[in-house]
Amino acid sequence: MATEKKNISEEKEAKKKEMIFFLSSSEEKEHFLSKGNRKLLSDPLDDNNPITVQVLGICSALAITVQLEPAVVMAIAVVAVMAFSNMIVSMLRNMIPSRIRIIVQLVVVASLVVLVDQILKAYAYDVSKQLSVFIGLIITNCIVMGRLEAFALGNGVYKSFLDGIGNAAGYGLILIIVAFFRELLGSGKLFGFEVLGHKAATVADSTGLYALGYENNGLMLLSPMALIVVGLLIWVQRARNRKLIEEN
């Protein structure tokens, strides 16, 4: 009986130590930039991308990629929310009762989203208005909740932090690529600046490609085109990486 109590107390002390130093015993032996840790950052950018491979977070990819600026801001916001929510949930994982873990996760994510929203309203109000409700919808983004449930609850703080950054970066990368092509081909601009020339009332008065008769593709500004661009990215990714193709 005394031995069992001693073992229990030792386990509790080990957990407390883990919470203090943010690392489990196995993680303490692993270098901060080990192959496994680097994989947490690199995999979501390609082989395990949240949008093109896991097919998560499609809604915001359709709605906020008409222009590059809001897509970049959204990507940065998701990186901040995912990284710190993963870290906080991982720190609390040994203290969260299983029955209320989803509620705790939602509270953590919602608090961070409110903080990010207030920062955007203070320092980037115009972009905040463009993003509108989509910043708030980060709370229910399946990528964020999925990584909390699948990774942060079972791994140390440092690994969870890297996993949050990696998956958010993979998500943000697709947003930025889609927004780049949609704004460039749809309005001839990037970040609001004319890059294909100036389109005037007549071809003679236009400059750049517009002087050669180029016309903007208005379809690129419609939401369905975001889905088509994502589909093309999925096709290119699977053509380049054959192991992602599902076998019948």
Side-chain angles (χ1 to χ4, degrees):
M1 189 72 177
T3 306
E4 290 180 1
K5 288 183 178 179
K6 184 179 179 181
N7 290 336
I8 293 172
S9 63
E10 287 177 353
E11 288 178 4
K12 288 182 178 179
E13 288 298 323
K15 286 183 179 180
K16 287 180 181 178
K17 184 180 178 182
E18 181 179 334
M19 293 302 296
I20 293 171
F21 294 103
F22 300 159
L23 295 170
S24 64
S25 57
S26 60
E27 288 174 325
E28 286 176 349
K29 299 175 184 177
E30 189 177 8
H31 192 271
F32 280 101
L33 295 177
S34 65
K35 184 178 179 180
N37 288 339
R38 292 198 304 270
K39 200 172 181 181
L40 291 174
L41 292 171
S42 61
D43 265 12
L45 295 175
D46 187 13
D47 292 352
N48 198 27
N49 188 276
I51 292 181
T52 60
V53 178
Q54 301 176 45
V55 197
L56 301 173
I58 295 293
C59 298
S60 52
L62 302 180
I64 62 166
T65 53
V66 176
Q67 293 181 321
L68 195 53
E69 185 179 13
V72 171
V73 173
M74 184 68 168
I76 295 172
V78 173
V79 168
V81 171
M82 278 195 71
F84 287 103
S85 62
N86 264 25
M87 188 174 71
I88 293 170
V89 169
S90 180
M91 290 171 61
L92 300 175
R93 69 188 187 280
N94 295 321
M95 297 183 286
I96 302 174
S98 178
R99 290 175 296 179
I100 63 169
R101 69 184 190 282
I102 300 297
I103 297 174
V104 173
Q105 292 168 20
L106 284 172
V107 169
V108 171
V109 175
S111 301
L112 291 170
V113 168
V114 169
L115 180 61
V116 167
D117 187 40
Q118 293 303 309
I119 292 173
L120 286 178
K121 285 180 178 177
Y123 297 102
Y125 184 69
D126 291 338
V127 179
S128 176
K129 285 173 63 178
Q130 284 181 284
L131 292 172
S132 184
V133 298
F134 293 100
I135 284 291
L137 288 176
I138 294 176
I139 298 171
T140 56
N141 192 314
C142 39
I143 300 173
V144 180
M145 296 303 297
R147 298 319 297 171
L148 292 177
E149 188 73 11
F151 197 92
L153 285 176
N155 291 275
V157 175
Y158 181 64
K159 282 184 176 293
S160 298
F161 182 71
L162 293 181
D163 181 77
I165 292 177
N167 278 275
Y171 166 81
L173 176 65
I174 300 301
L175 287 189
I176 291 170
I177 292 173
V178 173
F180 174 86
F181 286 108
R182 291 185 70 192
E183 184 175 8
L184 180 65
L185 301 178
S187 58
K189 300 177 181 179
L190 289 175
F191 289 107
F193 296 102
E194 296 177 339
V195 296
L196 298 182
H198 174 69
K199 182 175 174 59
T202 62
V203 174
D205 295 330
S206 300
T207 61
L209 290 181
Y210 298 109
L212 302 176
Y214 175 80
E215 291 291 337
N216 292 325
N217 186 350
L219 287 175
M220 294 299 292
L221 302 178
L222 302 179
S223 295
M225 285 307 300
L227 191 59
I228 292 174
V229 175
V230 171
L232 290 173
L233 290 176
I234 293 173
W235 174 61
V236 170
Q237 184 184 34
R238 280 159 175 71
R240 186 175 56 85
N241 191 350
R242 306 294 292 182
K243 69 180 182 181
L244 294 177
I245 300 176
E246 298 177 3
E247 296 181 2
N248 293 328

